[in-house]
Amino acid sequence: MVDSPPINDLHFDDAPSVGNVPGPESEKLLEKQRNIDSSAVAYPEDIPIAFEEGKGATVRDADGNTFIDMFGGIGVLNVGHANPYVLEAVHEQADKLVHTVDFPTEARLELIEKLDAIAPGDLQGNNRVVFGGPTGSDAIEAAIKLAKYNTGGDGLIAFRGAYHGMTSGALSLTSNTGAKSHYTPLLSDVVHAPYPNPFEQGKSAEEAVAHAIEEVTAIVEDPYSGLANPAGIFVEPIQGEGGVVTPPEGFLSGLRDIADDNGVPLIFDEIQSGFGRTGQWWAGEHEGVSPDIMTTAKALGGVGFPLSATIYREELDTWEAGDHAGTYRGHVVAMRAGSRAIEYIQQHDLLAHARDLGADIRARLKDVADGNSHLGEVRGRGLFIGAEFVDDNGDPDSAIVDSIQQYCYEHGVLVWTAGRHGNVLRLLPPLVLTHDLADTALDVVADAIEQVTTAEQPTA
């Protein structure tokens, strides 16, 4: 077995190292993509880059430019690009067997056992796992079906600012009307409650939580709420696409109380926030709250293999054979990768590393904010970090964040955006990011903030 290398040994040594970007090879590939790929392609519109290879928390483009990766495939690459400890198992498995539908294999059963060992709170030792399609949206679809199957209800509660995916059921839970307007009608009886965001709402943490809990209680219990037969409450313990909105203490526990009082399942979407991202295995653990159903994907596939799972209380395992299915529910290569990723995180104590490094990064950004009125708030947990930017009037300013992203790209650091108004700088680096790489990346980010916010900005 290959050694499990320390995180310092995983990265390209020359990161960051960039010339004029995009270079000629990237330009050629980007142009070819524009000519033959779907018009739905989005990411190269913001960062015009053609990737060639990756190591750890660093990537190279087709021209040999080397970048520090601070968004990790939007939370997919928690143990880094091309982690050799994971890839050894991938190669071994791929040479033997790749696809098994849901027949038993050692790889499948091992991952289920490892997921049980890291399951949150009351789910540990009291759960079942269902694999379906390969994406996070598929896990959400399974959770919707499971909640309806067990309750006999059809009404669903989600939250404003939520993102749960782009398939029909998941899109019904997603709150962005712009993303769904062309595809209606979707699922009926989906109600979106306010998500506590003290900064945006101009409330104290206590007021924001109280308001959100009051609204959810009314939706579930008020006979005039309009939601006749609630089947489940779907919530991100930290909203990702919504802007790394980290709810104050009391919100998740309040939802747990509502769910218990009314016999409604509580479903945590941990697709972006889970698998060690926040310095705990699952973001809900920070408040000590266990869901009835939990979805996971993204980093579950180890080094980028597509895999999703829905984990739920054993008493909810009332399905008959074949009641939920998916051709790729037996992707044993991804399952082996997922098991190795769990092992790597445990062997190198990456949960503690994420907590410590994340605290350092947020502190660095807060130092920048102390002297910059455009950086309104820094928030997050572990290596799930958001920085929200505003204009001179305190209103959301997406132009600032777009310019910061461009500056960082030109100086060898890849960052991403988020938020209902596109005005949140989102950092989702691999958990293997080192302190030295983080310091270098934050130097670039801090320079970008200073350069952009001191220049005249167009109105967002």
Side-chain angles (χ1 to χ4, degrees):
M1 178 183 290
V2 70
D3 289 336
S4 179
I7 64 173
N8 288 317
D9 293 350
L10 295 179
H11 320 280
F12 290 123
D13 292 334
D14 60 338
S17 175
V18 297
N20 292 325
V21 290
E25 289 301 313
S26 286
E27 288 275 27
K28 183 169 68 175
L29 291 170
L30 288 162
E31 179 62 23
K32 184 175 183 179
Q33 181 180 45
R34 284 189 287 268
N35 289 335
I36 66 173
D37 209 337
S38 167
S39 59
V41 166
Y43 288 97
E45 298 297 315
D46 294 295
I47 299 179
I49 186 172
F51 290 111
E52 180 74 19
E53 57 180 329
K55 288 182 67 177
T58 59
V59 291
R60 278 203 182 120
D61 71 5
D63 297 280
N65 295 302
T66 310
F67 302 81
I68 301 174
D69 184 359
M70 295 293 284
F71 73 96
I74 310 300
V76 167
L77 297 156
N78 286 14
V79 297
H81 296 269
N83 186 302
Y85 182 72
V86 177
L87 287 179
E88 179 193 47
V90 165
H91 295 311
E92 179 185 85
Q93 183 63 55
D95 286 341
K96 293 166 54 179
L97 187 66
V98 173
H99 178 68
T100 63
V101 196
D102 59 9
F103 290 100
T105 61
E106 287 187 6
R108 181 190 188 89
L109 301 179
E110 179 186 36
L111 180 57
I112 291 172
E113 289 176 338
K114 286 185 180 296
L115 287 172
D116 176 59
I118 64 172
D122 296 341
L123 275 182
Q124 195 168 111
N126 173 38
N127 68 79
R128 289 290 184 266
V129 177
V130 63
F131 300 103
T135 73
S137 294
D138 297 312
I140 293 292
E141 299 288 348
I144 292 171
K145 289 172 61 178
L146 184 66
K148 289 185 172 184
Y149 194 94
N150 276 275
T151 64
D154 54 20
L156 304 174
I157 300 159
F159 291 87
R160 296 169 201 164
Y163 180 85
H164 295 288
M166 296 294 280
T167 53
S168 184
L171 190 57
S172 303
L173 297 171
T174 294
S175 70
N176 184 348
T177 57
K180 58 211 277 187
S181 60
H182 293 294
Y183 310 109
T184 55
L186 297 168
L187 294 183
S188 60
D189 280 342
V190 178
V191 178
H192 289 84
Y195 194 94
N197 184 345
F199 180 78
E200 182 177 82
Q201 294 162 352
K203 300 176 183 289
S204 69
E206 294 78 10
E207 290 170 337
V209 169
H211 176 60
I213 294 301
E214 180 181 6
E215 289 290 319
V216 177
T217 301
I219 292 168
V220 176
E221 298 180 0
D222 186 345
Y224 288 87
S225 72
L227 191 69
N229 298 298
I233 301 170
F234 284 76
V235 65
E236 298 162 274
I238 297 176
Q239 285 191 340
E241 302 298 321
V244 196
V245 181
T246 309
E249 186 174 354
F251 175 58
L252 298 181
S253 59
L255 295 181
R256 180 72 270 171
D257 291 342
I258 295 169
D260 290 341
D261 291 345
N262 293 277
V264 176
L266 178 62
I267 300 99
F268 282 179
D269 179 343
E270 293 268 14
I271 291 165
Q272 189 167 146
S273 61
F275 216 77
R277 167 60 47 196
T278 67
Q280 297 287 357
W281 279 111
W282 312 103
E285 292 183 278
H286 289 281
E287 202 171 321
V289 180
S290 302
D292 300 299
I293 303 170
M294 183 176 75
T295 59
T296 179
K298 286 190 181 288
L300 179 62
V303 287
F305 286 97
L307 184 65
S308 75
T310 305
I311 305 168
Y312 53 93
R313 292 185 185 277
E314 189 170 359
E315 56 264 34
L316 298 178
D317 194 35
T318 55
W319 274 333
E320 299 293 334
D323 275 350
H324 187 68
T327 300
Y328 290 100
R329 65 190 186 274
H331 191 339
V332 288
V333 174
M335 291 170 178
R336 285 292 305 275
S339 289
R340 277 291 182 98
I342 291 171
E343 291 173 7
Y344 190 87
I345 290 170
Q346 292 170 329
Q347 290 167 3
H348 297 275
D349 200 9
L350 293 188
L351 301 184
H353 177 70
R355 293 193 296 271
D356 293 344
L357 184 56
D360 289 348
I361 292 173
R362 291 193 301 277
R364 178 80 180 273
L365 290 170
K366 287 176 181 177
D367 286 343
V368 173
D370 286 342
N372 193 312
S373 61
H374 290 283
L375 179 42
E377 185 176 52
V378 177
R379 53 185 178 250
R381 293 187 186 276
L383 289 172
F384 197 8
I385 299 165
E388 182 158 356
F389 287 84
V390 296
D391 63 18
D392 291 332
N393 298 317
D395 295 323
D397 196 328
S398 62
I400 287 178
V401 180
D402 289 343
S403 296
I404 290 170
Q405 183 183 56
Q406 179 67 23
Y407 181 100
C408 289
Y409 161 61
E410 292 172 355
H411 291 79
V413 176
L414 303 181
V415 299
W416 207 252
T417 64
R420 297 169 66 174
H421 309 285
N423 66 315
V424 177
L425 179 70
R426 177 171 40 163
L427 303 180
L428 288 165
L431 306 186
V432 298
L433 181 75
T434 65
H435 282 273
D436 285 345
L437 283 171
D439 286 343
T440 301
L442 264 292
D443 286 342
V444 173
V445 171
D447 288 344
I449 293 170
E450 180 180 2
Q451 292 284 333
V452 170
T453 58
T454 56
E456 181 144 341
Q457 288 295 317
T459 302

